Amino acid sequence: MKGNIRKIITKNGSKRYEHKTQCIVCGKVVWRQKNQINKCNISFCSKSSYCQYEYYHKLRDPKSHAIMDHKDTPDFYYLLGLICTDGNITYPDKNSTIKHQKYKGYNCYINLNKIDKDLIYKIQNKFGGKSQFMHDNTIRWQITNKYFIEYLMNMGLTHNKSATLNIENWFNNLTNDNILHFLRGVIDGDGSIKIFKSKNTKKKSGDRRFSICTGSPSFFNTIKNYFIKSYTQIGYSESHCPTYSYIIYNNVIMTKILNDIYRPIENDSSLLYMERKYIEYQKIRDFYKTSERGQNYKGFTYENN
């Protein structure tokens, strides 16, 4: 071997010459035959290292490649809440060979009703990725950033997220502001804000209900414990069949919670949120600001809550 060229003798006695080069992504020294080196003098260490994927992914979709730059921003935590409820992830099994992998790549996607397509487009515009309409009247946003999906795995997400989602340790280390942004994503994913009508008059009765559903008992307890700890005298019920449902029926506390979660949008309309859920919140907010029944609730004023 001389300098940057080495001679290799194969088992059948033939010779080949390899050139010393470096992986353009990780800097690892590799040896390649001349015809294996890119015309632009670009080399990668190996496909299995994801260096080649990362390089071209950055060129094709620079926004999704840089998604972790948004960490600790309100929209990032909102996105995480939406993924925990209406999203899914796939990733290779490190204990299996590539040939026997069920999932050979890293993928994260969110499926929403097509009427919420504007939210998907806003997510795509901010975080990159791609969107497409599916055959079941939904619209999907998808991203293939390996490091983002590893972050989700470290949070507590798995392939079978619905039953195994466990984010307690990650959740308990968040600031309260980031928790509220995260919960806005959770509500927009699997939350429900309902206004009931009177059985007799079919008019709005003023009775409200706010609920969150999940298939994961751990995720259910994490959210429930936060509400109980943060909002005293909270009136709620829960059910565990077939999914876990947490229902808040105390109108005053429910409205205070929703005010805390949605009020940042009134200060910054560029934040991510689902329009139809925000409209339901506004109806509840306006009820307490304007109606006689809302004004009569003891100890409640909209301005102070």
Side-chain angles (χ1 to χ4, degrees):
M1 180 178 71
K2 278 190 176 182
N4 295 327
I5 301 176
R6 69 180 183 183
K7 181 172 68 174
I8 302 294
I9 300 177
T10 63
K11 291 182 179 180
N12 60 11
S14 61
K15 301 176 183 178
R16 72 167 186 264
Y17 291 90
E18 293 182 340
H19 297 254
K20 184 179 179 181
T21 184
Q22 282 185 311
C23 174
I24 194 172
V25 176
C26 68
K28 181 180 178 181
V29 173
V30 292
W31 293 88
R32 294 286 184 265
Q33 295 182 60
K34 193 171 183 179
N35 61 356
Q36 293 176 324
I37 299 176
N38 189 291
K39 290 181 180 179
C40 300
N41 202 29
I42 295 175
S43 296
F44 305 99
C45 48
S46 69
K47 289 184 178 180
S48 62
S49 71
Y50 290 95
C51 287
Q52 183 173 342
Y53 162 79
E54 183 177 349
Y55 178 81
Y56 289 112
H57 178 246
K58 183 177 181 180
L59 295 179
R60 290 193 303 265
D61 193 356
K63 285 186 179 180
S64 70
H65 184 268
I67 189 172
M68 294 306 296
D69 292 346
H70 294 278
K71 187 181 175 184
D72 295 328
T73 64
D75 284 341
F76 185 82
Y77 285 102
Y78 172 86
L79 179 68
L80 297 180
L82 200 60
I83 292 172
C84 284
T85 49
D86 269 343
N88 205 351
I89 64 172
T90 63
Y91 46 86
D93 182 359
K94 294 181 179 180
N95 296 322
S96 301
T97 61
I98 293 178
K99 182 179 180 181
H100 297 94
Q101 294 279 1
K102 182 178 180 180
Y103 304 106
K104 293 182 171 60
Y106 291 83
N107 284 281
C108 171
Y109 58 86
I110 296 172
N111 278 18
L112 296 179
N113 191 301
K114 65 179 182 180
I115 64 175
D116 300 312
K117 61 181 182 298
D118 287 345
L119 175 57
I120 290 292
Y121 295 150
K122 288 179 181 178
I123 291 173
Q124 183 182 13
N125 183 58
K126 188 170 189 68
F127 297 112
K130 62 180 182 179
S131 61
Q132 64 180 115
F133 285 97
M134 310 302 288
H135 66 278
D136 56 351
N137 289 325
T138 63
I139 182 171
R140 172 176 291 185
W141 172 78
Q142 184 176 3
I143 190 173
T144 56
N145 185 306
K146 171 189 174 185
Y147 302 106
F148 177 62
I149 289 145
E150 287 180 338
Y151 179 87
L152 297 176
M153 294 164 61
N154 291 331
M155 272 178 61
L157 277 75
T158 62
H159 289 308
N160 189 19
K161 168 190 66 65
S162 297
T164 62
L165 181 61
N166 184 345
I167 62 166
E168 183 178 5
N169 292 335
W170 174 85
F171 184 89
N172 290 337
N173 287 316
L174 297 180
T175 65
N176 193 63
D177 285 345
N178 288 334
I179 286 177
L180 293 173
H181 292 303
F182 174 81
L183 289 176
R184 190 170 71 253
V186 170
I187 293 170
D188 285 355
D190 274 344
S192 173
I193 304 171
K194 290 187 177 180
I195 304 175
F196 291 98
K197 295 181 179 180
S198 169
K199 292 182 180 179
N200 297 326
T201 64
K202 294 185 179 180
K203 293 181 179 179
K204 299 290 174 63
S205 65
D207 292 326
R208 313 290 191 256
R209 189 181 76 178
F210 159 54
S211 62
I212 295 175
C213 297
T214 177
S216 166
S218 175
F219 185 70
F220 170 81
N221 286 323
T222 298
I223 301 300
K224 180 184 75 171
N225 291 339
Y226 169 77
F227 284 137
I228 293 174
K229 179 181 177 181
S230 302
Y231 300 92
T232 58
Q233 298 178 342
I234 188 169
Y236 72 93
S237 63
E238 55 184 86
S239 62
H240 305 160
C241 182
T243 59
Y244 293 81
S245 299
Y246 183 73
I247 304 168
I248 299 175
Y249 55 80
N250 182 309
N251 286 335
V252 176
I253 299 299
M254 175 195 67
T255 307
K256 177 173 174 55
I257 292 172
L258 294 177
N259 282 344
D260 289 344
I261 289 173
Y262 283 102
R263 184 174 288 168
I265 296 171
E266 298 178 354
N267 299 325
D268 184 0
S269 60
S270 68
L271 293 175
L272 293 175
Y273 64 94
M274 187 177 287
E275 181 70 24
R276 58 188 176 91
K277 297 281 179 76
Y278 182 60
I279 290 174
E280 292 302 313
Y281 154 70
Q282 286 179 312
K283 292 176 182 177
I284 292 178
R285 178 201 64 188
D286 293 343
F287 167 78
Y288 284 100
K289 290 175 68 176
T290 60
S291 74
E292 182 179 350
R293 183 178 173 185
Q295 298 291 338
N296 288 336
Y297 272 107
K298 222 173 189 182
F300 181 88
T301 57
Y302 172 75
E303 288 75 12
N304 294 331
N305 288 273

